[in-house]
Amino acid sequence: MEREIVRLDMNRDFEAFEELSVISFGEGTNSKRKMYEWLFDKNPYNKSGNMMYLLKEGGKVIGCDGLLPNELYVNGKTVLAAHSVKSMTHPDYKKQGIFRMMTQNSCERGKQDGVDVVIGLANDQSYPAYQKFGWPTLFEKEVYVKPILINNILKRRIKIGFLSSVGNSIYTAYMKNKLKVQMDKEISFEILNTVPKNIQKCWDTYKSKYNVLLVRDYKYLNYRYNERPDVKYITILAKIKNEIIGFAILHNSVANGSKMTSCVEFFTDPTNARYIKSLANVISKYCYDNGIEYVVVGTGLHGKFKNVLLSNGFMITRKPPKNNMMIANILSDKLTMNEINGHEKWHITQGDGETELDL
């Protein structure tokens, strides 16, 4: 039967696309149509339409691969990047070169639409294939976690609910008091349900202090966090005399029966340990105030983020994240591999890649 690669059409293809997603990633994968319409069709960085492509055999979808375009800031210039996402092959059609063919198709279509570099956070299944394709590995992503409430941790260890509750109460009272002493009196905070337009000035003020990161201007943050239809995010602004000196964006959820928050954005002056510490402290305070048991945050090695986090109660997760190998394929002459290669050059957050989108 004849095969063809087509651009994803929500009205025509969504049910088949959803079916392959569940087969490939399990029942827990995000299958909300409105989310995919927002993510693919309404992406403001699209040039000629969405960049998701399906391999069809008759009416059956047997493969998928695509790109999510966005802007990348690299040493003072802005280029068009795209995350590689939704790489899927139907299990009945494995070992037929479909993954390679669909990856090549995405890169060719991306180049036609002006994409300068394709990046991706590969998992243990896809990473060996990208290595065979010759895609360089830029770095291995780290994730940091901070326990806030330890009731569930103690329950697993002590096995006695009363004792674990007492232990949690003592620990929480001590840590909250310690945090109160550490809070910077000159920095105020505002907690919002949306990302405000004046956050643009914060990006403009500090972007030149970074080497490589996704552009976090209002255009991107508004699309990514205000317009997403299936998740509500919390924005925390850090201010000195009404001027925004940093921000964090949080996604509250439940994982393994515990209330947690993922810090999907964490942005301030990367050279200013005081600002970074203040943002980390207010995230912890937010967790205490809202009964959240732990917080996770990601960062690259650029600036002082990692050192400040590790000295303020955060620790590297015991297991690496599912999608942790940052890979890249340069498609134009607007940047070089040397400019983006290396963890020490990057600032990367939990909002980057497929994990936060539950893809």
Side-chain angles (χ1 to χ4, degrees):
M1 190 177 294
E2 185 177 348
R3 296 177 178 179
E4 62 174 342
I5 296 176
V6 299
R7 191 191 302 269
L8 171 64
D9 182 301
M10 288 293 175
N11 293 324
R12 180 191 64 205
D13 303 316
F14 183 74
E15 287 186 10
F17 168 81
E18 179 187 11
E19 180 182 355
L20 182 58
S21 293
V22 172
I23 291 172
S24 301
F25 301 112
E27 295 290 339
T29 190
N30 195 325
S31 58
K32 300 181 181 73
R33 176 168 172 168
K34 285 186 177 180
M35 194 281 290
Y36 285 108
E37 288 175 338
W38 157 77
L39 186 64
F40 298 154
D41 292 342
K42 297 180 181 179
N43 188 317
Y45 304 97
N46 290 339
K47 296 291 182 68
S48 62
N50 77 53
M51 301 179 76
M52 293 304 302
Y53 292 93
L54 308 177
L55 177 62
K56 300 179 76 172
E57 186 176 80
K60 185 176 183 179
V61 174
I62 62 173
C64 176
D65 189 79
L67 303 175
L68 287 179
N70 43 38
E71 292 177 326
L72 188 70
Y73 181 87
V74 183
N75 297 321
K77 61 188 175 186
T78 299
V79 300
L80 186 62
H83 276 92
S84 173
V85 297
K86 297 302 276 190
S87 299
M88 304 182 289
T89 301
H90 194 285
D92 294 342
Y93 295 83
K94 297 284 187 180
K95 297 183 179 180
Q96 296 184 23
I98 290 175
F99 189 2
R100 180 185 289 272
M101 177 177 64
M102 295 303 292
T103 300
Q104 290 175 340
N105 174 76
S106 293
C107 291
E108 290 168 4
R109 302 294 183 106
K111 194 170 184 179
Q112 291 172 13
D113 275 12
V115 173
D116 299 302
V117 59
V118 177
I119 57 178
L121 284 163
N123 57 35
D124 56 358
Q125 295 182 28
S126 62
Y127 181 60
Y130 286 114
Q131 287 185 301
K132 290 181 181 178
F133 301 163
W135 287 38
T137 302
L138 304 182
F139 57 86
E140 182 175 358
K141 181 186 176 185
E142 293 180 339
V143 174
Y144 311 91
V145 60
K146 181 178 182 178
I148 303 295
L149 305 177
I150 61 171
N151 191 42
N152 282 336
I153 295 174
L154 292 176
K155 276 183 180 179
R156 288 191 290 269
R157 294 182 179 178
I158 300 176
K159 308 295 183 183
I160 301 175
F162 171 72
L163 290 179
S164 62
S165 295
V166 171
N168 179 66
S169 297
I170 295 172
Y171 172 83
T172 301
Y174 170 76
M175 294 303 294
K176 287 178 73 173
N177 185 64
K178 182 179 179 181
L179 182 63
K180 185 177 180 180
V181 174
Q182 290 180 345
M183 295 295 287
D184 195 313
K185 302 299 188 294
E186 294 183 19
I187 299 178
S188 62
F189 300 97
E190 185 177 3
I191 300 177
L192 305 170
N193 292 322
T194 58
V195 181
K197 288 184 178 180
N198 60 347
I199 213 165
Q200 176 72 38
K201 187 176 180 181
C202 183
W203 164 256
D204 291 336
T205 299
Y206 298 123
K207 65 182 181 182
S208 62
K209 296 193 175 188
Y210 289 83
N211 284 340
V212 186
L213 79 165
L214 290 187
V215 171
R216 260 84 182 192
D217 59 3
Y218 179 71
K219 175 183 176 180
Y220 172 77
L221 296 174
N222 179 60
Y223 158 69
R224 182 65 179 78
Y225 301 111
N226 289 344
E227 295 181 356
R228 181 172 178 176
D230 62 322
V231 172
K232 298 298 181 183
Y233 294 91
I234 299 296
T235 300
I236 300 178
L237 305 179
K239 297 180 177 181
I240 292 182
K241 295 180 180 179
N242 252 354
E243 180 180 342
I244 300 174
I245 53 94
F247 61 86
I249 299 177
L250 307 179
H251 176 191
N252 299 331
S253 61
V254 176
N256 299 319
S258 297
K259 291 177 66 178
M260 58 86 69
T261 192
S262 176
C263 185
V264 294
E265 295 297 343
F266 193 83
F267 182 85
T268 186
D269 181 345
T271 68
N272 193 315
R274 176 193 176 195
Y275 290 2
I276 297 170
K277 181 178 179 179
S278 293
L279 267 179
N281 282 342
V282 77
I283 292 168
S284 297
K285 183 179 185 303
Y286 172 86
C287 291
Y288 283 121
D289 292 344
N290 290 275
I292 293 171
E293 296 174 58
Y294 67 96
V295 55
V296 296
V297 59
T299 176
L301 299 187
H302 179 72
K304 298 182 178 181
F305 285 97
K306 179 177 180 177
N307 289 339
V308 173
L309 289 173
L310 292 181
S311 62
N312 283 273
F314 285 83
M315 61 193 78
I316 299 174
T317 54
R318 293 179 182 177
K319 295 181 179 180
K322 183 178 179 181
N323 299 61
N324 65 319
M325 303 304 292
M326 178 62 89
I327 54 175
N329 185 22
I330 291 179
L331 304 182
S332 82
D333 59 1
K334 290 185 180 180
L335 75 166
T336 65
M337 188 58 63
N338 184 59
E339 289 181 284
I340 62 173
N341 190 26
H343 206 181
E344 73 284 353
K345 296 176 182 176
W346 279 76
H347 178 68
I348 185 168
T349 73
Q350 292 297 91
D352 295 342
E354 297 181 60
T355 305
E356 157 61 18
L357 296 167
D358 300 323
L359 298 185

